[in-house]
Amino acid sequence: MTADKHTKRAARDLAAREGISYTAARRRLAEPYPGPAAESVSEPPRLYPIVTTPCDHGCDGTPHPGYVCETWTPFNPIGSSPRTSWATCQAAHLPSGRSQSLTDRFREKPEYGYHPDYTWVLALVYALLLDEEPETAPDPHQLRAAVEADDLAAVDSLMQPLDFAAVRLLGAPIDEWHATSFPRIHAWATKVSTTELDEPRWDMALLEYNSRCLKLAERWLESQKERRNYNGYMEAERIYWWFSEPFLTTLLMQQVGGHPRGSEVQLGDGRRVTIRGVHWGETGRPPAAYEVREVGAPPFPLDNPHVGAEEILSVAR
């Protein structure tokens, strides 16, 4: 098709679309493109440089108009403060950094084989708690001081309320998990993935944090979709939500005390029992109760698996 035929077809389409004559359509097509508006051509481009030093927590951009705010994050001191280690910055970085830090510090490395890694589930729980229970979040000024002082113990202490809330959610019994915890996580992930936030353009750290939370929520929702497995059956991904609960329990027991799983203790009536589970009470306090099983107890009978099973024992502190 020649160029003249293209022009005629375009003119006929324009005339039908605009309700004008064929001649007027040809005349309009023959006019040169006007280009951008005159006022936009004369207006110089706007540049928004980044501020040279991190701003204080809660900066709204008004102290430095025309600049993009560089909000402080735990990884800012790296390079500017040689005494700040990567481990301290990672432990203070929420939500993904801290979850990876606990995994690296407290997970037992298998000698052989593959070890499943569900660190992202703990990061998802941290993001949920920071959104729905903001009172558990560490004080930003104290956290910044602890990171710049390279004090990992102080960072863990500031994160203690958040860790307690996370271990209660992830360490819930299986019935409570399916009845309460799972629907809560699923509802939060759905809300995050479907809500468009009105984010300020000057807070780069907030934009990055919201993007990370969105990726975690989408990963959770994607894992709930059924797919065909290697046997040809449709099933959803199996999520081991309790994967990070032992890491949180070990850390909190180092801080507030308690008996770890697998240890043998003696009760007041002289029985020796093995601790099988931990029940946390108030934040900052040792475990309120343990699930135990008597040492040397016979195996569970097949007709009644609850006989001789775990016993809940309150611990007086």
Side-chain angles (χ1 to χ4, degrees), residues 53-115:
T53 57
C55 302
D56 293 332
H57 179 73
C59 177
D60 57 359
T62 55
H64 38 72
Y67 283 77
V68 178
C69 178
E70 184 189 0
T71 308
W72 180 85
T73 65
F75 288 104
N76 282 128
I78 294 181
S80 59
S81 179
R83 62 179 180 178
T84 304
S85 64
W86 172 271
T88 303
C89 295
Q90 187 184 42
H93 192 258
L94 292 168
S96 304
R98 178 155 187 81
S99 61
Q100 188 63 51
S101 173
L102 296 182
T103 303
D104 295 340
R105 283 191 281 169
F106 299 108
R107 180 178 62 179
E108 296 182 1
K109 304 299 188 297
E111 186 176 357
Y112 302 102
Y114 170 75
H115 199 297

Side-chain angles (χ1 to χ4, degrees), residues 50 68 80 89 94 110 119 125 135 138 183 185 202 225 252 265 267 292 300:
I50 300 178
V68 178
S80 59
C89 295
L94 292 168
T119 307
V125 170
E135 66 276 5
I185 294 177
W202 58 78
K225 297 180 180 179
L252 293 175
V265 297
L267 304 183
V292 300
F300 301 155

